Short mmCIF file of all heavy atoms in Angstrom, two decimals:
data_model
loop_
_atom_site.label_atom_id
_atom_site.label_comp_id
_atom_site.label_asym_id
_atom_site.label_seq_id
_atom_site.Cartn_x
_atom_site.Cartn_y
_atom_site.Cartn_z
N PHE A 1 4.06 5.50 -4.13
CA PHE A 1 4.13 5.08 -5.44
C PHE A 1 4.50 3.42 -5.38
O PHE A 1 3.77 2.69 -6.00
CB PHE A 1 5.41 5.65 -6.12
CG PHE A 1 5.71 5.01 -7.37
CD1 PHE A 1 5.11 5.12 -8.58
CD2 PHE A 1 6.85 4.11 -7.44
CE1 PHE A 1 5.47 4.52 -9.82
CE2 PHE A 1 7.43 3.71 -8.62
CZ PHE A 1 6.65 3.70 -9.73
N PHE A 2 5.43 3.07 -4.58
CA PHE A 2 5.74 1.56 -4.54
C PHE A 2 4.66 0.68 -3.89
O PHE A 2 4.38 -0.42 -4.33
CB PHE A 2 6.99 1.42 -3.84
CG PHE A 2 8.23 1.78 -4.83
CD1 PHE A 2 9.06 2.87 -4.35
CD2 PHE A 2 8.51 1.27 -5.93
CE1 PHE A 2 10.05 3.29 -5.10
CE2 PHE A 2 9.46 1.68 -6.72
CZ PHE A 2 10.28 2.66 -6.25
N ALA A 3 4.02 1.29 -2.89
CA ALA A 3 2.89 0.49 -2.30
C ALA A 3 1.72 0.32 -3.26
O ALA A 3 1.19 -0.80 -3.32
CB ALA A 3 2.38 1.37 -1.00
N LEU A 4 1.42 1.40 -4.04
CA LEU A 4 0.31 1.17 -5.01
C LEU A 4 0.87 0.25 -6.24
O LEU A 4 0.13 -0.50 -6.74
CB LEU A 4 -0.18 2.52 -5.54
CG LEU A 4 -0.96 3.37 -4.50
CD1 LEU A 4 -1.15 4.76 -4.98
CD2 LEU A 4 -2.21 2.75 -4.16
N TYR A 5 2.06 0.50 -6.70
CA TYR A 5 2.61 -0.32 -7.78
C TYR A 5 2.65 -1.78 -7.44
O TYR A 5 2.22 -2.56 -8.24
CB TYR A 5 4.11 0.21 -8.00
CG TYR A 5 4.63 -0.62 -9.15
CD1 TYR A 5 4.60 -0.31 -10.45
CD2 TYR A 5 5.56 -1.70 -8.89
CE1 TYR A 5 5.18 -0.93 -11.40
CE2 TYR A 5 6.12 -2.43 -9.76
CZ TYR A 5 5.97 -2.02 -11.15
OH TYR A 5 6.55 -2.68 -12.14
N ASP A 6 3.08 -2.08 -6.22
CA ASP A 6 3.28 -3.42 -5.79
C ASP A 6 1.95 -4.08 -5.26
O ASP A 6 1.83 -5.28 -5.55
CB ASP A 6 4.21 -3.63 -4.64
CG ASP A 6 5.76 -3.37 -5.16
OD1 ASP A 6 6.00 -3.45 -6.43
OD2 ASP A 6 6.44 -2.93 -4.32
N GLU A 7 1.11 -3.38 -4.60
CA GLU A 7 0.03 -3.97 -3.92
C GLU A 7 -1.39 -3.23 -3.82
O GLU A 7 -2.07 -3.21 -2.87
CB GLU A 7 0.48 -4.26 -2.43
CG GLU A 7 1.66 -5.09 -2.33
CD GLU A 7 2.06 -5.36 -0.82
OE1 GLU A 7 1.47 -4.90 -0.02
OE2 GLU A 7 2.94 -6.27 -0.71
N HIS A 8 -1.68 -2.54 -4.99
CA HIS A 8 -2.82 -1.72 -4.88
C HIS A 8 -4.16 -2.43 -4.72
O HIS A 8 -5.01 -1.98 -3.94
CB HIS A 8 -2.91 -0.82 -6.25
CG HIS A 8 -3.41 -1.57 -7.40
ND1 HIS A 8 -2.75 -2.33 -8.15
CD2 HIS A 8 -4.76 -1.55 -7.97
CE1 HIS A 8 -3.44 -2.93 -9.11
NE2 HIS A 8 -4.69 -2.29 -8.95
N LYS A 9 -4.11 -3.87 -4.99
CA LYS A 9 -5.32 -4.54 -4.87
C LYS A 9 -5.68 -4.84 -3.32
O LYS A 9 -6.61 -5.19 -3.00
CB LYS A 9 -5.15 -5.86 -5.45
CG LYS A 9 -5.13 -5.82 -7.05
CD LYS A 9 -6.47 -5.42 -7.69
CE LYS A 9 -6.47 -5.57 -9.18
NZ LYS A 9 -7.83 -5.20 -9.71
N LYS A 10 -4.43 -4.76 -2.42
CA LYS A 10 -4.60 -4.92 -1.12
C LYS A 10 -5.12 -3.73 -0.25
O LYS A 10 -5.22 -3.69 0.86
CB LYS A 10 -3.29 -5.42 -0.53
CG LYS A 10 -2.88 -6.83 -0.98
CD LYS A 10 -1.56 -7.24 -0.27
CE LYS A 10 -1.17 -8.60 -0.80
NZ LYS A 10 0.13 -8.88 -0.05
N TYR A 11 -5.22 -2.55 -1.16
CA TYR A 11 -5.63 -1.33 -0.30
C TYR A 11 -6.95 -1.47 0.33
O TYR A 11 -7.92 -1.96 -0.40
CB TYR A 11 -5.59 -0.14 -1.37
CG TYR A 11 -6.04 1.16 -0.71
CD1 TYR A 11 -5.09 1.81 -0.03
CD2 TYR A 11 -7.32 1.71 -0.97
CE1 TYR A 11 -5.55 3.12 0.60
CE2 TYR A 11 -7.65 2.83 -0.43
CZ TYR A 11 -6.85 3.48 0.40
OH TYR A 11 -7.19 4.73 0.91
N GLY A 12 -7.07 -1.19 1.60
CA GLY A 12 -8.37 -1.44 2.35
C GLY A 12 -9.16 -0.25 2.54
O GLY A 12 -10.21 -0.31 3.29
N GLY A 13 -8.72 0.99 2.17
CA GLY A 13 -9.60 2.18 2.40
C GLY A 13 -8.87 3.05 3.41
O GLY A 13 -9.29 4.26 3.63
N ARG A 14 -7.82 2.76 4.01
CA ARG A 14 -7.12 3.68 4.95
C ARG A 14 -5.75 3.68 4.63
O ARG A 14 -4.85 2.83 4.72
CB ARG A 14 -7.20 3.02 6.42
CG ARG A 14 -8.66 3.12 7.00
CD ARG A 14 -8.80 2.54 8.30
NE ARG A 14 -7.87 2.85 9.27
CZ ARG A 14 -7.36 2.17 10.25
NH1 ARG A 14 -7.80 0.95 10.46
NH2 ARG A 14 -6.43 2.64 10.96
N LEU A 15 -5.39 4.88 3.97
CA LEU A 15 -4.06 5.09 3.44
C LEU A 15 -3.00 4.94 4.38
O LEU A 15 -1.89 4.27 4.10
CB LEU A 15 -4.06 6.44 2.87
CG LEU A 15 -2.67 6.83 1.94
CD1 LEU A 15 -2.55 5.83 0.84
CD2 LEU A 15 -2.72 8.24 1.46
N ALA A 16 -2.98 5.52 5.57
CA ALA A 16 -1.87 5.42 6.46
C ALA A 16 -1.66 4.01 6.90
O ALA A 16 -0.49 3.58 6.92
CB ALA A 16 -2.22 6.28 7.70
N LYS A 17 -2.68 3.21 7.16
CA LYS A 17 -2.48 1.79 7.43
C LYS A 17 -1.95 1.09 6.41
O LYS A 17 -0.90 0.27 6.52
CB LYS A 17 -3.83 1.19 7.87
CG LYS A 17 -3.82 -0.30 8.36
CD LYS A 17 -5.19 -0.68 8.61
CE LYS A 17 -4.98 -2.12 9.41
NZ LYS A 17 -5.74 -3.08 8.70
N PHE A 18 -2.40 1.31 5.16
CA PHE A 18 -1.86 0.70 4.05
C PHE A 18 -0.38 0.98 3.77
O PHE A 18 0.56 -0.05 3.60
CB PHE A 18 -2.58 1.13 2.69
CG PHE A 18 -2.09 0.61 1.52
CD1 PHE A 18 -2.17 -0.68 1.15
CD2 PHE A 18 -1.67 1.52 0.50
CE1 PHE A 18 -1.80 -1.11 -0.12
CE2 PHE A 18 -1.20 1.07 -0.87
CZ PHE A 18 -1.24 -0.29 -1.14
N LEU A 19 0.04 2.15 3.93
CA LEU A 19 1.55 2.59 3.76
C LEU A 19 2.31 1.99 4.91
O LEU A 19 3.44 1.58 4.64
CB LEU A 19 1.53 4.03 3.64
CG LEU A 19 0.95 4.80 2.41
CD1 LEU A 19 1.06 6.21 2.61
CD2 LEU A 19 1.52 4.26 1.14
N ASN A 20 1.74 2.01 6.25
CA ASN A 20 2.50 1.51 7.23
C ASN A 20 2.75 -0.07 7.09
O ASN A 20 3.82 -0.62 7.42
CB ASN A 20 1.81 1.79 8.59
CG ASN A 20 1.99 3.25 8.99
OD1 ASN A 20 2.84 3.92 8.61
ND2 ASN A 20 1.05 3.70 9.84
N GLU A 21 1.69 -0.74 6.69
CA GLU A 21 1.81 -2.17 6.43
C GLU A 21 2.85 -2.37 5.26
O GLU A 21 3.65 -3.37 5.39
CB GLU A 21 0.50 -2.74 6.18
CG GLU A 21 -0.30 -2.88 7.41
CD GLU A 21 -1.72 -3.40 7.12
OE1 GLU A 21 -2.16 -3.53 5.99
OE2 GLU A 21 -2.52 -3.48 8.04
N TYR A 22 2.79 -1.68 4.27
CA TYR A 22 3.70 -1.90 3.13
C TYR A 22 5.10 -1.56 3.62
O TYR A 22 6.11 -2.49 3.23
CB TYR A 22 3.31 -1.01 1.96
CG TYR A 22 4.22 -1.20 0.74
CD1 TYR A 22 4.10 -2.16 -0.10
CD2 TYR A 22 5.33 -0.37 0.61
CE1 TYR A 22 5.04 -2.41 -1.16
CE2 TYR A 22 6.31 -0.55 -0.44
CZ TYR A 22 6.04 -1.46 -1.25
OH TYR A 22 6.92 -1.79 -2.26
N MET A 23 5.30 -0.64 4.24
CA MET A 23 6.71 -0.14 4.78
C MET A 23 7.15 -1.27 5.72
O MET A 23 8.36 -1.68 5.67
CB MET A 23 6.56 1.23 5.53
CG MET A 23 8.06 1.70 5.86
SD MET A 23 7.96 3.51 6.36
CE MET A 23 6.58 3.64 7.33
N ALA A 24 6.35 -1.79 6.64
CA ALA A 24 6.73 -2.80 7.48
C ALA A 24 7.18 -4.07 6.74
O ALA A 24 8.33 -4.71 7.05
CB ALA A 24 5.71 -3.23 8.53
#
């Protein structure tokens, strides 16, 4: 939720990578 809320425009097509980068 927060990854998409804060940075959905940065989503690159790989959910796990996107979530890991957001979490980091």
Side-chain angles (χ1 to χ4, degrees):
F1 167 79
F2 288 114
L4 291 169
Y5 178 85
D6 291 337
E7 299 182 350
H8 80 279
K9 294 287 189 185
K10 292 182 180 178
Y11 181 75
R14 293 180 43 216
L15 184 60
K17 182 176 189 240
F18 175 67
L19 295 177
N20 285 336
E21 288 174 356
Y22 179 82
M23 191 166 43

